[in-house]
Each structure stands twice: as C-alpha cells, then as structure tokens.
Amino acid sequence: MIKKAILLGVVSTSILAIGGYWVLKATAKSAPHYPVYDDLPTPAVIAHRGGRGLWPENTLYAFQKAVKLGVDMLELDIRQTKDGQLVVLHDEYVDRTTNGEGPINSFTLAEAKKLDAGFNWTKDNKSFPFRGKDIVIPTFQEVLENFPAQKMIVEIKQAQPAIERAVCQAIQAAKKEDHIIIGSFYPEVLKRFRQVCPEIATSASPNEVKLLFAAERLGLTDLLSPAASALQIPKQDGKIEVATPSFIRAAHDRMLQVQVWTINDPDMMLSLIANGADGIITDYPDRLLNLMRK
Ligand code: G3P
Ligand code: CA
C-alpha cells in the first residue's frame, strides 16, 4: 500500500515536472531588443568611468578625451546631491576623487561644483597633473547634453532615495532613449526602472546573472525569459570563471549582449574576444583600441 502511494507520488511529480518544463519552454521569450545595440562593433570598446586609468574618472574631461580616442560607449555612475540633483560620481563619498570630504548627499550641487574632481588623480602617487584645472563633478544632464550621439552605460549607484524616475526623465529630455543601457547592482533599482522607463534598455542584476549562470550549468537556459537585454559581468567572481565561452553562448542564445568588466590587461582582452564577448569595459580604452586596430 505504502509502496503504491510512493510510486504514485513519484509518477505524478514527474508528470508535473515534465509538463512544467514544456510549458516554460513553450512560453519562454528571448531578451527584448533595443536600438542601443544596433551598429555596435564587436567587441564594443567601453570606457569605464570615461577611462579612469588615463584621466580623472566620471568627468566631462574624461568623457571628451575618451570620445576623441574613438570609444564605442562611455560607462558612468549616477548619484544624487542633497538638493536632489543627479551627478556623475562613483563613490558614496567625495573623498577618493576630489579635494572634499563627506558623502555626496551632504553637498548641494553648488557645493559639489566647488570640488576639484581632478585633485587626486595620479599615475605614480607623486605628481597630480589634473589639480587646479577646473575639472569638476558633472551633472547627469551636462553629460547627456554634451554627448548627444554617444552611447552610454549608465549605472545607478543609489537605491534610496529612489532616483529611477529622475534618471528616466533626464534621458527622455535629452532624447537619448536609444543611446543608453541602464545598469545597477541593486535588483530593486532595475525592477523600478523597468516599470517607469520600459523604453530604455537595462542590464541584468547580479541575481539575474546568477540565475542564468545556474541555468546554463543545468542546461535549462531556454526556460528563461530575461527582462534584461544585456549582461555586464566580471570575467571572474572569486575562483569562478564567469565569462566562459559556454556562458556567453547561452546568453547569446537568449539574445543577451555580454559586456565584461573591468579588463585592463591586453591578453585578457584577447581571451574575452575569443570567448565571444560583445563589449569590454576598460579603464584603458587606448589599449583595447590598439588591439582592435592590429
Ligand atoms: O558595470 C559595472 C562596472 O562599472 C563595475 O563596477 O564599481 O566600477 O562601478 P564599478
Ligand atoms: Ca560603474
């Protein structure tokens, strides 16, 4: 009697699992497509924070120089000032990159604009060639307006207070919806952004990347319907190799673009190109451009 019940349980669970598999497979959708990916070369050369190895990060100066070099995309980070203005800054605090101290959300925009954003940039810890050169923290609007045709990865670094709506409105005002991919390490930021701004591409959250990674290992990627249209991933996470040929192939099967950060070594760039990466995010876009020209 008990044996019969167990057998019945196993059979019905298997039928449900197999049925569920086929339902998921039949209803799964590839990643949505956005115009930002059209006409991007492979690999796209993406200047991380504007190319922070070459000049002061996340500044108009850096973005101008990177564009002049010929990069395909700029990568930049967004936060908010005390008076609610969107500014381009990586850290929560201004200390590492400027001559100021304290969290950016304790500065009004006018106060933040007085900081020297080239103050701490150095190659050798001895000389500081960008000090006193009027290099300041830019607003997001300034960056959008100064680079109307430039494609960008915009990373939202702040989860609270929520700034997704303001980011979306700034992009819409600049008519740059087709030039931008929004990224964030915060799943809730991406979820909210997709709700308020579905017309703009987003990359996957770390959780979404992990899900795809696990699915690829189990051979189940064709059950997934990604909300993201790109993955921005590290080459490696601890000891785990992330940007492998098979993972990149699995992402491509779901129509996801794969952009890998932050790659500064030319040999590593070459290996990622061989693995099929669509974009390489680097502090030294000059190195990648030189490789591409060769
Ligand atoms: O796209 C993510 C990349 O920018 C790496 O993160 O810390 O440099 O903003 P982070
Ligand atoms: Ca970033």
Side-chain angles (χ1 to χ4, degrees):
M1 193 67 181
I2 295 175
K3 268 189 190 167
K4 248 188 186 174
I6 292 173
L7 192 64
L8 200 65
V10 170
V11 170
S12 49
T13 311
S14 308
I15 290 170
L16 275 176
I18 293 167
Y21 172 86
W22 284 106
V23 169
L24 277 175
K25 194 172 156 69
T27 53
K29 283 193 186 131
S30 299
H33 180 76
Y34 290 88
V36 64
Y37 303 111
D38 295 340
D39 307 321
L40 270 180
T42 306
V45 178
I46 307 168
H48 185 232
R49 308 185 206 167
R52 68 188 286 256
L54 303 173
W55 30 64
E57 67 184 56
N58 280 331
T59 61
L60 287 179
Y61 179 89
F63 300 141
Q64 274 147 5
K65 296 292 264 187
V67 170
K68 212 166 174 189
L69 263 186
V71 304
D72 301 301
M73 295 191 91
L74 300 171
E75 190 271 348
L76 53 111
D77 306 286
I78 301 289
R79 293 183 176 275
Q80 196 180 36
T81 59
K82 187 179 171 182
D83 52 346
Q85 301 299 309
L86 298 178
V87 288
V88 181
L89 189 75
H90 181 273
D91 298 4
E92 185 183 352
Y93 285 72
V94 300
D95 303 42
R96 181 179 57 83
T97 50
T98 79
N99 56 343
E101 278 178 19
I104 184 64
N105 66 7
S106 70
F107 288 77
T108 62
L109 179 61
E111 289 162 351
K113 279 287 187 189
K114 290 188 189 135
L115 301 175
D116 183 345
F119 195 80
N120 287 333
W121 193 93
T122 181
K123 264 206 271 198
D124 53 11
N125 281 318
K126 287 183 206 136
S127 58
F128 297 87
F130 294 104
R131 278 187 185 176
K133 300 270 198 265
D134 290 328
I135 296 176
V136 296
I137 297 173
T139 63
F140 184 37
Q141 190 183 345
E142 284 166 347
V143 173
L144 293 170
E145 286 174 0
N146 273 274
F147 303 96
Q150 189 63 44
K151 294 187 177 182
M152 300 174 184
I153 295 173
V154 174
E155 186 186 344
I156 301 180
K157 281 287 188 198
Q158 172 178 321
Q160 287 299 337
I163 56 173
E164 299 80 34
R165 199 173 288 277
V167 170
C168 176
Q169 284 167 352
I171 297 169
Q172 286 168 336
K175 300 197 181 342
K176 279 188 64 75
E177 296 93 327
D178 293 348
H179 290 83
I180 286 178
I181 307 168
I182 295 289
S184 183
F185 284 112
Y186 297 105
E188 67 270 31
V189 165
L190 289 165
K191 193 172 169 212
R192 290 193 300 250
F193 190 86
R194 288 171 191 152
Q195 277 161 3
V196 297
C197 221
E199 70 271 32
I200 296 179
T202 57
S203 61
S205 70
N207 293 349
E208 290 167 332
V209 173
K210 281 180 197 151
L211 180 66
L212 185 72
F213 195 78
E216 191 266 318
R217 290 289 165 98
L218 297 168
L220 297 174
T221 40
D222 53 357
L223 303 190
L224 300 182
S225 301
S229 50
L231 307 181
Q232 281 141 17
I233 53 173
K235 184 176 183 299
Q236 232 170 308
D237 186 5
K239 285 187 178 159
I240 300 174
E241 196 69 22
V242 182
T244 61
S246 62
F247 184 57
I248 294 175
R249 260 197 314 275
H252 287 166
D253 285 347
R254 300 316 289 149
M255 304 305 282
L256 287 154
Q257 292 268 314
V258 181
Q259 300 165 331
V260 187
W261 50 266
T262 302
I263 309 300
N264 296 330
D265 173 54
D267 287 336
M268 229 176 248
M269 291 171 180
L270 283 173
S271 118
L272 284 164
I273 294 168
N275 287 4
D278 301 291
I280 294 179
I281 304 174
T282 174
D283 295 330
Y284 295 92
D286 54 335
R287 294 179 188 170
L288 182 53
L289 284 163
N290 284 339
L291 277 183
M292 303 298 294
R293 280 171 196 138
K294 278 182 201 158

